[in-house]
Amino acid sequence: VAWLKRILNVEVAGHSGTLDPNVSGVLPVAIAEGTKALMALSRADKTYVAVAKFHGDVDEAKLREVLAYFTGAIYQRPPLRSAVKRQLRVRHVYSLELLELDGRYALLRMHVEAGTYARKLIHDIGEVLGVSANMRELRRVGVGCFTEEEAFTLQDIADAVYIWRNYGDDTVLRQIVKPIEEIARGVAKIWIKDGAVDAVCHGAPLAAPGVVKFEEPFQRGDLVAYF
């Protein structure tokens, strides 16, 4: 974030959730007014690709069986080195896929609820297998609706800013810096009447007459975006 503020010459920037040291991948960063909408990603699910090392021989069929056991709602206690209180909590693992098994190394792809610790999940898988395991590498390939294919490096951004400032061409920069509305791509949307905007912005509840239309089914308690 500090580097981006310097490259883009902005005073305010923020990210949607830290990456542990030595972990690479997707990190959505908002600038200026966009930081106010970052909460839309605070509960976003994450997708990881991880390398797990088992401390004993593992049968592939047994491993797949255990991975299926860890799919769904699981109990998880954050590891010792974590930024949150170490208390038992429930997290959802939407999918857990074995991509490759090479000796005692396994390449796993996991789609999980926000707040799920990949390294703790791998540790627990090793415990159930009876051989113990630890995470050797981790890459975050998706945060909510944002995927690795859309990501840019700091060098990409610096180059785009250079082209814009020196040649007046902002084509690449516009591909990198997206409108605030993009953050709500994966969220249910409600369009409200112009006459209701001021009242809603001042804290009034939204009543049915103020709704123009909505899309994507949503339930009570879901996060929605007003347009």
Side-chain angles (χ1 to χ4, degrees):
V1 171
W3 277 105
L4 276 176
K5 287 166 71 173
R6 184 182 302 179
I7 293 169
L8 297 171
N9 192 27
V10 295
E11 294 183 0
V12 179
H15 61 75
S16 66
T18 56
L19 284 167
D20 287 351
N22 300 323
V23 177
S24 60
V26 179
L27 180 68
V29 176
I31 59 175
E33 291 294 304
T35 56
K36 296 177 181 179
L38 271 177
M39 58 83 63
L41 291 177
S42 63
R43 294 185 290 176
D45 52 293
K46 311 290 194 299
T47 304
Y48 297 98
V49 172
V51 175
K53 181 182 180 181
F54 299 104
H55 302 164
D57 295 332
V58 175
D59 177 70
E60 182 174 337
K62 179 64 176 176
L63 175 57
R64 292 185 183 277
E65 181 183 326
V66 171
L67 293 182
Y69 173 76
F70 276 94
T71 303
I74 65 168
Y75 287 105
Q76 190 177 73
R77 190 185 304 276
L80 286 171
R81 293 179 58 192
S82 62
V84 298
K85 186 176 181 181
R86 296 191 69 241
Q87 60 185 21
L88 197 65
R89 53 191 188 172
V90 176
R91 286 294 180 266
H92 287 83
V93 177
Y94 304 113
S95 66
L96 188 53
E97 178 185 1
L98 175 64
L99 300 178
E100 188 178 346
L101 180 63
D102 185 5
R104 294 184 177 182
Y105 288 88
L107 186 64
L108 306 173
R109 183 182 180 89
M110 53 186 76
H111 178 205
V112 298
E113 181 184 359
T116 305
Y117 282 88
R119 64 179 183 273
K120 186 65 168 62
L121 183 58
I122 289 172
H123 172 269
D124 292 344
I125 290 170
E127 291 294 300
V128 173
L129 285 169
V131 296
S132 70
N134 68 294
M135 186 181 76
R136 299 306 299 266
E137 290 185 49
L138 184 66
R139 184 166 184 85
R140 190 159 71 186
V141 297
V143 177
C145 60
F146 295 100
T147 65
E148 188 176 26
E149 287 71 29
E150 301 174 81
F152 294 88
T153 65
L154 286 174
Q155 187 62 56
D156 292 334
I157 300 168
D159 291 345
V161 170
Y162 179 86
I163 293 171
W164 167 56
R165 287 179 177 157
N166 289 275
Y167 300 100
D169 184 356
D170 63 358
T171 305
V172 179
L173 189 59
R174 285 183 178 275
Q175 294 174 4
I176 297 171
V177 182
K178 303 179 185 296
I180 296 177
E181 290 84 356
E182 283 286 305
I183 210 168
R185 240 170 39 198
V187 178
K189 300 169 184 63
I190 299 176
W191 281 264
I192 63 177
K193 293 181 179 178
D194 292 347
V197 171
D198 187 65
V200 169
C201 287
H202 284 84
L206 176 64
V211 176
V212 176
K213 64 175 181 176
F214 62 87
E215 67 172 24
E216 301 175 26
F218 52 89
Q219 299 176 344
R220 182 185 297 272
D222 286 355
L223 185 70
V224 297
Y226 287 176
F227 282 82

